Structures are given as C-alpha cells and as structure tokens.
Amino acid sequence: MDKSKKISTAVIRRLPKYYRYLGELSKIGISRTSSKELSDMTGFTASQIRQDLNNFGGFGQQGFGYDVSNLRNEIGKILGLDRKYKIIIVGAGNIGQAIANYTGFYEEGYDVVALFDKNPKLIGLSIRDKTIQDIDDLDDFLELNEVNIAVLCTPKSVSQKIADKLIKGGIKAIWNFAPTDIKLPKDIVLENVHLNESLFALTYYYKNKIIND
Amino acid sequence: MDKSKKISTAVIRRLPKYYRYLGELSKIGISRTSSKELSDMTGFTASQIRQDLNNFGGFGQQGFGYDVSNLRNEIGKILGLDRKYKIIIVGAGNIGQAIANYTGFYEEGYDVVALFDKNPKLIGLSIRDKTIQDIDDLDDFLELNEVNIAVLCTPKSVSQKIADKLIKGGIKAIWNFAPTDIKLPKDIVLENVHLNESLFALTYYYKNKIIND
C-alpha cells in the first residue's frame, strides 16, 4: 500500500462492506469472485469496486477475478483487523451493555476489557464476565492498562466531560453513541453513531415517499 | 416546500443535526441564531447551512438570522417529526431491547407498540410495559394493528426472511440493525445501521493516523 496516497473517506466506508461480503462468500465455500459479482452483492458498480481496490494495489488478475480469502485478508489488513484491540465501554446502560454483548466484535479481534458507569445499580453487575466498574476508577484504570478504543455511551449531558477524561487518560480513538457532538483535539480519532439522526432520515423518506404518495 | 424539487441525501442527512442543535439552543434559552453560529456548532460552513435551508424556502431574515424555535419546528416538519409513528422491534435481544429502552425516541413521537422474538427465554418478558411476543404472532399482529416502522434486530441469518414477512404484512419502512444487507422492493424505505462497519472505519483511522504515526 502506498502510504503517501490519501484514501478518500468514501472508499474507507466501502471497504468494510467488501470485507463483510467476502466473508459471506467464504463461508459458503466460494473461493473466487469478480468485480461483477461483488457489484451484484454490494450495489456498487463493478468499475467503482475495481477502482477502490486499485487504491491498494489491485489484488485481482484480469480474467481471473479475485481470490476471495486473499482479498478479504488484504482488506482486513488495510482496515487494521489483523491485530487485536482493547476496548472499554463508558456508560453501561442499554446501548453500552448491548455493545458489550455483541459477539460480532469479539470474532473480529475486539476485546471489551472493562465497562464503567456512575449508576450504583449497575456498578458490580457482570456483562460477559466483566464487572461494571465505578466511573471514578476510570482514571486509575487508564493509567494501569493499555486501551485502544473507548466506546462512549453516556447521556449527552456528560459526554464531553467524559471524553475529556478519556483523552487525558491517553485514549486516541472514541466511538461515540451519545446523541451529541463532542469536541476533541485533532489527533484523536472519532466515529459517531447518532441513532436519532438515522431514524430521522428514515422518517423523512418514509413520510415523503410513502405517506405523501 | 417545493415538492417538485429533489433534495439530495446529503442535505437530508444534515437536517437532523440542525434539528438537534436548534433543540440544544432552545433548551438553554437562546431564541435567535445565525448560520455563523450554526456553523460553529455543526462544523458545516455557514454558506452550506444557508444553502441547505434555502432548499426548503429559507426561514431566515437577512441581518436577523433565524428564529430558533420556528426553524426547529420547520425542520421537524420537513423530517416528518410533527406526527407520531408506531414502531415494532423484531428481534428483542441486546440491540432490540436497547432501542426499546431508549427514551430519546419516545420524546420525538416514536412509540414502540410491540416487540417480537423467537427465543422462549425472551418471550413474555416486559420491556417498558410491552411484553415480548412470539415471532409466530407477527403476521396476526400486522394484520390487526397499524405499524409505521419496523426495527430489524435479528441475527443476519434470518433477517431477509423476516424482512420479507414484514413487507408482506404491509410494513413500508425498515430500520435495519442486522449486520447484512437485505433486498427489498423499491417502494420500501430502508435505513441500515451497520455497527461493525462503523467500528471498522474507526479502526482504519486509528491504525493509520495513530499507530502508524
């Protein structure tokens, strides 16, 4: 991979889809595929797919298509899935617990090493063998343990404060589920999952395409 | 609003953000705002914001900015948030329960009217006063009740089958959390929340910006 080349966000967003579909092909025993077949699966055009994969040096052979498991491994490497990541979940309410319980992440090498909350009713409960810890112990935990990614599932009223705490503790990547935007230094990586916004967009299309028809 | 005009997906995706920020301004008692202030809050440029709002006829007055609560109401109307929506959740595991428990949706007029699962351990449990029903009763439920939106939180192995069932039962809008793409007739509205893909994108940026630095 040519590191000097800047890969666009749109390409990065498509790579996980290729990765997932290649996994599905692999599971049903298919070992070779084509940009045409990937196009049928993903809905992206075949030329778009070839162009995307060319960003990283190609992988395909004219007339032979792609080796499914090789291509999946290569995309996995590009995404960084060829190593393990230690995750903490801050805010162990509904969403936080759902994420801790989601087995799909464990399969891909993500390991939830701790959960934190300030609610005394939650502190001490176990989620998949991890005890929910007091949020007051977060600083100490971060000092003593390596953590790669923090999942932020707090109410929005405290999310900025907690995010600041995480950064201070050395966290460089935040996956934010709090329904608000948080301001972070430029060297921190942030990915938002704003469920409300997703539901509102669905509602817009529902109202305009279906109800108004 | 000029109905003949096609609004781009990018604009539709930004509207919920404006709606959210205007709500936050409203809550702290601010009654007027400007595209400049909204720009500072959202990270979009002021000209982008003015252009977006012009799609729907403007709302602002040169030199006076926007009336916060009026603009929020108008955007809410565009999004379709000026009415109620009945939601069912199919697949009442971690994610399904988390969504049923998420109060943010209730505040905006979304009402979870039923949950369904096939797991006997879950059937009969109550989530926010709604009993989880047997998935086998889904068809009858859809025949007897008006439902606007179905939230699909099943394992991916059954998501297409369940989606087909929902469509057959008259559902026109699906919010899909199953980590797979489902194929639907063109007249159905679909919004995917693929958590894995979001985490993989975060991982890519983490690996490339932070680890490789």
Side-chain angles (χ1 to χ4, degrees):
Chain A
M1 176 184 166
D2 177 1
K3 296 227 181 201
S4 63
K5 202 168 167 185
K6 175 114 170 66
I7 308 297
S8 80
T9 307
V11 177
I12 302 308
R13 298 277 154 192
R14 284 192 290 269
L15 290 182
K17 279 200 199 293
Y18 301 143
Y19 184 78
R20 173 157 59 80
Y21 279 109
L22 290 163
E24 290 181 12
L25 287 176
S26 208
K27 250 183 211 162
I28 56 172
I30 291 173
S31 61
R32 295 203 78 77
T33 188
S34 61
S35 50
K36 168 73 174 63
E37 186 173 45
L38 287 171
S39 168
D40 292 342
M41 293 180 83
T42 59
F44 307 132
T45 66
S47 96
Q48 173 82 83
I49 292 169
R50 284 193 299 270
Q51 206 181 311
D52 284 353
L53 299 178
N54 278 340
N55 273 307
F56 307 100
F59 311 128
Q61 287 171 276
Q62 190 79 41
F64 289 90
Y66 301 99
D67 179 288
V68 168
S69 105
N70 179 49
L71 180 57
R72 182 166 189 267
N73 282 344
E74 291 299 325
I75 293 176
K77 270 187 221 167
I78 293 162
L79 289 170
L81 302 178
D82 54 341
R83 48 155 288 174
K84 304 232 170 254
Y85 295 93
K86 290 185 200 297
I87 289 186
I88 60 168
I89 295 174
V90 187
N94 298 306
I95 296 279
Q97 289 190 26
I99 289 166
N101 275 314
Y102 185 63
T103 52
F105 301 140
Y106 295 89
E107 286 164 17
E108 294 295 350
Y110 298 93
D111 192 16
V112 173
V113 296
L115 298 97
F116 296 89
D117 207 286
K118 66 159 218 168
N119 183 346
K121 284 185 192 155
L122 293 177
I123 295 166
L125 288 185
S126 275
I127 311 288
R128 282 181 69 96
D129 296 338
K130 292 289 180 303
T131 305
I132 298 174
Q133 303 180 47
D134 191 322
I135 187 81
D136 288 342
D137 297 333
L138 177 61
D139 296 342
D140 286 350
F141 185 90
L142 291 176
E143 213 175 302
L144 296 170
N145 297 275
E146 193 211 349
V147 177
N148 304 114
I149 298 170
V151 188
L152 194 56
C153 305
T154 62
K156 65 180 175 180
S157 54
V158 296
S159 54
Q160 183 67 54
K161 202 183 77 182
I162 300 285
D164 293 342
K165 222 181 194 342
L166 288 166
I167 306 306
K168 219 172 155 188
I171 291 290
K172 299 286 187 195
I174 292 181
W175 198 22
N176 175 39
F177 284 77
T180 186
D181 289 342
I182 46 180
K183 291 188 198 314
L184 298 175
K186 283 227 165 110
D187 63 330
I188 306 297
V189 174
L190 170 71
E191 168 87 7
N192 289 309
V193 180
H194 286 328
L195 294 180
N196 253 341
E197 293 178 15
S198 171
L199 180 58
F200 292 172
L202 174 69
T203 303
Y204 171 85
Y205 289 111
Y206 174 66
K207 186 196 161 204
N208 282 279
K209 276 198 190 172
I210 313 286
I211 303 183
N212 288 351
D213 263 2
Chain B
M1 175 184 169
D2 178 1
K3 295 227 179 197
S4 63
K5 203 169 166 185
K6 175 114 172 67
I7 310 295
S8 79
T9 307
V11 177
I12 303 308
R13 298 277 155 193
R14 284 191 290 270
L15 290 182
K17 280 199 198 295
Y18 300 143
Y19 184 78
R20 172 157 58 80
Y21 279 110
L22 289 163
E24 289 180 13
L25 286 175
S26 208
K27 248 182 213 163
I28 57 172
I30 292 174
S31 62
R32 293 204 77 78
T33 187
S34 61
S35 50
K36 168 75 174 62
E37 187 173 44
L38 287 171
S39 167
D40 291 342
M41 292 181 86
T42 59
F44 307 131
T45 66
S47 99
Q48 172 82 82
I49 291 169
R50 284 193 300 271
Q51 204 180 311
D52 284 353
L53 299 177
N54 278 340
N55 272 308
F56 307 99
F59 312 126
Q61 286 172 276
Q62 190 78 41
F64 289 89
Y66 301 98
D67 179 287
V68 168
S69 105
N70 179 49
L71 182 55
R72 184 168 188 266
N73 282 344
E74 291 299 325
I75 293 176
K77 270 188 221 166
I78 293 162
L79 289 171
L81 301 178
D82 54 342
R83 48 155 286 175
K84 304 231 170 254
Y85 296 92
K86 290 185 200 297
I87 289 187
I88 59 169
I89 295 175
V90 186
N94 299 307
I95 296 279
Q97 290 190 25
I99 289 166
N101 275 314
Y102 185 63
T103 52
F105 301 140
Y106 295 88
E107 286 164 19
E108 294 295 350
Y110 298 92
D111 192 17
V112 174
V113 295
L115 299 97
F116 296 89
D117 208 286
K118 64 159 219 169
N119 183 346
K121 284 184 192 155
L122 294 176
I123 296 166
L125 288 185
S126 277
I127 310 288
R128 282 180 69 95
D129 295 337
K130 291 289 179 301
T131 307
I132 299 175
Q133 302 180 48
D134 191 322
I135 187 81
D136 288 342
D137 297 333
L138 177 61
D139 296 342
D140 286 350
F141 185 91
L142 291 176
E143 214 175 300
L144 296 171
N145 297 276
E146 195 211 348
V147 176
N148 304 114
I149 297 170
V151 189
L152 193 56
C153 305
T154 62
K156 66 178 173 181
S157 54
V158 297
S159 56
Q160 182 66 54
K161 201 182 77 182
I162 301 285
D164 294 341
K165 223 183 196 336
L166 289 166
I167 305 306
K168 221 173 152 186
I171 292 290
K172 298 286 186 197
I174 293 182
W175 199 23
N176 174 41
F177 285 77
T180 186
D181 288 343
I182 45 180
K183 290 188 200 313
L184 298 175
K186 284 224 166 113
D187 63 328
I188 306 297
V189 175
L190 170 71
E191 169 87 8
N192 290 308
V193 180
H194 287 328
L195 295 179
N196 252 340
E197 293 179 14
S198 170
L199 181 57
F200 291 173
L202 174 69
T203 303
Y204 172 85
Y205 289 111
Y206 175 67
K207 187 197 160 201
N208 282 279
K209 276 198 191 169
I210 314 286
I211 304 183
N212 288 351
D213 261 4

